[in-house]
Amino acid sequence: MTYRELAVPGAWEITPVQHGDPRGVFLEYFQAGPFATAAGHRFSLAQANLSVSAAGVLRGVHYADVPPGQAKYVTCARGAVLDVVVDLRVGSPTFGTWDSVLLDDTDRRAIYLSEGLGHAFLSLEDDSTVLYMCSEGYAPGREHGVHPLDTDLGIVWPTVDRAGRPLTALLSEKDLAAPSLAEARTAGLLPQYDEVSAFVESLRP
């Protein structure tokens, strides 16, 4: 298993070693020890989610208030999604920066996003099945979003699916109504870099 830190500090791409034979494939998509070495702290699992999305479904950009925030460890068990992390931490040297990882059932990579970062993905195939391990449970009053098509974010979303067919983005009503990055910042909804850094530091042994 190899770890690569993304352009957004606090986010990693994780590539597992796959063991295949005529029966199929086996892999470990999470290892607590190597994860703690890479991230500098352990991952505490509080909730595990699963979503199934048609091609073109766009979910996010979602984030939670810090503390306690909600770190996520995400992989795609079936199909393919472009998974995106956005630095929403006001005061961060990389504020507004985004990076992406292709999660699919070929390379079977995962992505980790620490507290204070925004998460979104676009499904590139019908029935794409995404698994999320979360450090905190869902708490509606602490959950927020930024519009994934905000031009200030400038996320380059794919325009074709896995088979090369044109994609039309499909968003939930909640995501369609989400504020832009600038609006969320003005409203004081975004995490503060210093507060997030202090909280993440408190998780270190």
Side-chain angles (χ1 to χ4, degrees):
M1 184 172 286
T2 59
Y3 291 77
R4 179 178 67 89
E5 190 164 19
L6 301 180
V8 177
W12 280 266
E13 171 194 86
I14 302 100
T15 303
V17 176
Q18 302 189 56
H19 306 279
D21 61 29
R23 299 170 300 164
V25 175
F26 173 83
L27 62 99
E28 298 167 339
Y29 80 92
F30 175 77
Q31 297 173 327
F35 171 83
T37 298
H41 60 82
R42 293 182 296 174
F43 182 80
S44 298
L45 175 62
Q47 182 172 309
N49 303 332
L50 181 152
S51 68
V52 180
S53 301
V57 168
L58 178 53
R59 301 181 187 268
V61 176
H62 300 150
Y63 66 100
D65 290 336
V66 182
Q70 188 185 61
K72 297 176 181 177
Y73 193 103
V74 185
T75 193
C76 182
R78 182 190 186 283
V81 303
L82 184 74
D83 201 282
V84 172
V85 54
V86 183
D87 192 345
L88 301 177
R89 302 166 297 189
V90 176
S92 167
T94 55
F95 176 74
T97 299
W98 64 274
D99 203 349
S100 64
V101 175
L102 176 65
L103 305 181
D104 62 19
D105 52 16
T106 301
D107 294 319
R108 304 184 191 278
R109 292 188 176 95
I111 185 173
Y112 171 73
L113 309 90
S114 65
E115 294 82 357
L117 301 180
H119 178 242
F121 70 81
L122 176 66
S123 175
L124 304 177
E125 182 175 293
D126 284 341
D127 298 323
S128 289
T129 302
V130 174
L131 305 174
Y132 319 62
M133 296 193 297
C134 304
S135 65
E136 294 288 338
Y138 176 68
R142 295 190 291 103
E143 306 289 333
H144 306 284
V146 170
H147 202 295
L149 302 180
D150 178 12
T151 54
D152 286 342
L153 283 180
I155 299 172
V156 181
W157 295 107
T159 57
V160 296
D161 68 9
R162 206 177 189 186
R165 296 178 293 252
L167 275 179
T168 299
L170 176 62
L171 285 70
S172 69
E173 291 184 7
K174 181 179 178 180
D175 288 341
L176 282 170
S180 67
L181 182 66
E183 290 169 339
R185 183 175 187 175
T186 299
L189 296 174
L190 299 178
Q192 299 296 310
Y193 181 67
D194 290 346
E195 294 177 3
V196 173
S197 298
F199 178 76
V200 172
E201 187 64 28
S202 74
L203 302 177
R204 301 184 186 278

